[in-house]
């Protein structure tokens, strides 16, 4: 078993996005002497403000650029002597993949391949040309449970051996990238790991995604859209628990392996919406002064957030249920989520209540 226990210089792609930024905060807290270089194109989903907490750290560097620019990635690997890539950069919103799949093919498939080519060249080929052994390295690919398709209510949760059956252009593009990562290990000996995670929630989540959408729409007195019958099931994990899972895979995961990361926390979408409504009603009851800060949040002030719920036409091809069997991570890596859903969802709501400056510029309607 090979492992990377002393990783010290990381390239984090997509580090200005939701999970990437939370991962960078977490990593620099846990490993303050490590170097972290973020490469991010700053698409609509990327936000430099999400990296404010680490920008003064001398070991942190931000580079605006595209993962499809193989030459740039090679340059960064050489310049900063990077030994680890943690690859988050992606187009990540299923609805956008339905209306405009091309960007998903470009970033998620071509972009991942570009990174793999750069890593192979710098970590393996240039060394071999000089008669040197490969540099100690790791390419960690961040993927999703959506590659496994959809589950019926009584089906067992997705394990690492579940056959891939992606249903949306987003999940198909992620599945393709997973296969490329695997192929670069088997064909060229690149030291790779992949993690497939369930739905994340937490701070710095772009407000088009379910939980921040509900919170910020309540604060702006906008309808709370619920797709179809709202009975789709998702398995929710606090974002910092995802970062901890990736840390464990980097430190103890077996090269060439996939690890499922999840929270054993399945919820119907409609129940999540009701829960967030209840917690927002409660927050405004306990802190009536919130209405001064959010004068539009009349329904929350009246304890009637639920009245904003509106059922809308279901998403095309909407997967019914995702659930992660994280036994392998638990048994091989001793992985356990630290946050309960109860504490994580409260922390998340508090974060949105306190960080208006972060999310207001991102909401357009
Ligand atoms: P996000 O959309 O919030 O962030 C993506 C980031 O990638 C943004 O900062 C964006 O600017 C950047 N980016 C996009 N295209 C780029 C390009 N061509 N070059 C460089 N940077 C580019 O996504 P997220 O929710 O943080 O997800 C991160 C990763 O985790 C994705 O690979 C996603 O598939 C995976 N994932 C997400 C979830 C979830 O619940 N959000 C769950 C499991 C897996």
């Amino acid at each position: 078993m090979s492992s990377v226990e002393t990783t010290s210089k990381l390239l984090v792609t997509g580090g200005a996005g939701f999970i990437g930024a939370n991962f960078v905060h977490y990593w620099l807290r846990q490993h303050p002497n490590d170097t972290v270089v973020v490469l991010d194109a700053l698409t609509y989903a990327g936000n430099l403000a999400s990296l404010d907490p680490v920008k003064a750290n001398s070991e942190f560097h931000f580079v605006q650029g595209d993962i499809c620019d193989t030459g740039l990635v090679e340059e960064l690997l050489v310049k900063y002597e990077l030994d680890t890539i943690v690859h988050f950069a992606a187009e990540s919103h299923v609805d956008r993949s339905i209306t405009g799949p091309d960007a998903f093919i470009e970033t998620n498939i071509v972009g991942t391949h570009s990174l793999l080519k750069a890593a192979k060249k710098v970590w393996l080929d240039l060394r071999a040309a000089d008669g040197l052994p490969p540099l100690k390295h790791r390419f960690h690919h961040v993927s999703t449970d959506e590659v496994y398709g959809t589950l019926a209510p009584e089906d067992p949760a997705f394990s690492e051996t579940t056959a891939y059956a992606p249903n949306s252009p987003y999940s198909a593009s992620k599945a393709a990238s997973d296969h490329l990562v695997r192929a670069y290990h088997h064909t060229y000996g690149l030291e790779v790991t992949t993690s497939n995670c369930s739905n994340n929630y937490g701070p710095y989540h772009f407000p088009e995604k379910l939980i921040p959408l509900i919170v910020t729409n309540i604060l702006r007195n906008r309808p709370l859209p619920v797709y179809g019958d709202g009975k789709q099931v998702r398995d929710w994990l606090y974002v910092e628990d995802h970062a901890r899972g990736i840390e464990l895979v980097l430190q103890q995961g077996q090269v060439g392996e996939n690890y499922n990361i999840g929270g054993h926390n399945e919820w119907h979408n409609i129940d999540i919406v009701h829960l967030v409504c209840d917690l927002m009603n409660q927050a405004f009851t306990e802190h009536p002064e919130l209405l001064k800060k959010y004068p539009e949040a009349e329904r929350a002030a009246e304890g009637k957030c639920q009245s904003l719920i509106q059922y809308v036409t279901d998403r095309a091809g909407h997967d019914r249920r995702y659930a992660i069997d994280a036994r392998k991570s638990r048994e091989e890596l001793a992985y356990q989520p630290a946050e309960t859903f109860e504490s994580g969802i409260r922390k998340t709501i508090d974060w949105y209540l306190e960080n208006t400056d972060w999310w207001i510029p991102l909401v357009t309607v």
Side-chain angles (χ1 to χ4, degrees):
M1 171 165 153
S2 152
S3 66
V4 180
E5 279 161 11
T6 54
T7 47
S8 56
K9 295 187 175 180
L10 288 75
L11 179 67
V12 178
T13 71
F18 163 48
I19 308 175
N22 279 284
F23 174 83
V24 170
H25 303 167
Y26 174 81
W27 194 270
L28 285 170
R29 264 199 322 275
Q30 301 297 320
H31 309 272
N33 299 321
D34 283 5
T35 299
V36 170
V37 178
V38 165
L39 173 63
D40 197 297
L42 296 181
T43 67
Y44 81 94
N47 190 343
L48 260 187
S50 303
L51 291 166
D52 278 351
V54 294
K55 70 180 180 195
N57 187 321
S58 58
E59 294 304 327
F60 168 76
H61 308 273
F62 179 79
V63 178
Q64 183 170 359
D66 193 324
I67 56 168
C68 295
D69 184 346
T70 317
L72 171 64
V73 178
E74 287 168 11
E75 251 175 58
L76 295 176
L77 292 177
V78 172
K79 177 176 171 190
Y80 292 100
E81 299 177 333
L82 302 168
D83 52 39
T84 302
I85 295 176
V86 187
H87 175 33
F88 293 96
E91 288 291 337
S92 71
H93 190 41
V94 177
D95 287 343
R96 289 179 190 255
S97 86
I98 293 168
T99 51
D102 298 63
F104 288 72
I105 306 305
E106 188 62 19
T107 289
N108 300 1
I109 306 179
V110 178
T112 300
H113 187 233
S114 160
L115 288 174
L116 288 164
K117 280 193 296 183
K120 171 178 173 288
K121 182 167 170 188
V122 173
W123 288 338
L124 305 181
D125 299 348
L126 294 179
R127 302 273 301 174
D130 290 338
L132 296 168
L135 281 176
K136 177 183 85 75
H137 67 270
R138 177 69 68 86
F139 187 109
H140 182 74
H141 178 54
V142 180
S143 192
T144 164
D145 58 357
E146 301 193 26
V147 297
Y148 299 119
T150 185
L151 294 168
E154 301 310 323
D155 285 345
F158 301 127
S159 79
E160 290 80 356
T161 55
T162 302
Y164 275 31
N167 288 322
S168 71
Y170 164 65
S171 54
S173 67
K174 290 298 290 186
S177 65
D178 292 11
H179 292 322
L180 285 168
V181 171
R182 175 188 162 86
Y184 264 66
H185 172 63
H186 282 269
T187 307
Y188 305 113
L190 197 70
E191 303 215 334
V192 308
T193 40
T194 295
S195 50
N196 296 81
C197 191
S198 56
N199 275 41
N200 285 213
Y201 69 99
Y204 302 103
H205 205 180
F206 195 83
E208 69 184 354
K209 303 281 176 84
L210 182 67
I211 291 175
L213 179 76
I214 299 305
V215 175
T216 58
N217 276 13
I218 288 172
L219 293 174
R220 299 182 312 128
N221 212 33
R222 303 289 199 279
L224 310 180
V226 174
Y227 280 133
D229 63 1
K231 295 281 187 191
Q232 307 84 0
V233 176
R234 301 293 181 259
D235 188 349
W236 292 91
L237 184 72
Y238 191 65
V239 63
E240 196 168 295
D241 279 325
H242 187 183
R244 288 180 45 255
I246 293 170
E247 179 187 39
L248 285 173
V249 176
L250 286 171
Q251 291 172 334
Q252 297 170 39
Q254 202 169 328
V255 165
E257 290 290 308
N258 283 42
Y259 292 88
N260 281 356
I261 300 177
H264 296 291
N265 182 38
E266 290 182 52
W267 283 77
H268 286 118
N269 283 352
I270 185 65
D271 294 337
I272 291 269
V273 174
H274 278 288
L275 175 68
V276 173
C277 285
D278 286 343
L279 291 171
M280 291 292 283
N281 288 336
Q282 192 186 339
F284 275 75
T285 307
E286 288 171 5
H287 302 283
E289 70 280 8
L290 279 172
L291 192 59
K292 284 209 181 73
K293 185 170 178 189
Y294 298 104
E296 287 178 282
E298 292 158 18
R299 305 285 177 94
E302 293 163 4
K304 291 183 180 158
C305 291
Q306 273 86 348
S307 64
L308 292 169
I309 293 173
Q310 269 185 18
Y311 287 90
V312 298
T313 309
D314 206 355
R315 168 191 283 167
H318 206 170
D319 287 339
R320 202 63 185 163
R321 174 175 168 240
Y322 305 135
I324 279 272
D325 175 350
R327 219 171 328 175
K328 179 174 171 183
S329 301
R330 193 171 63 240
E331 288 171 4
E332 286 189 22
L333 312 174
Y335 175 72
Q336 285 284 2
E339 203 72 56
T340 65
F341 193 57
E342 166 82 357
S343 60
I345 196 83
R346 283 179 189 274
K347 268 191 194 177
T348 304
I349 290 176
D350 287 348
W351 189 87
Y352 280 89
L353 287 172
E354 285 158 19
N355 288 277
T356 322
D357 291 352
W358 183 88
W359 62 264
I360 286 281
L362 306 178
V363 292
T364 49
V365 283

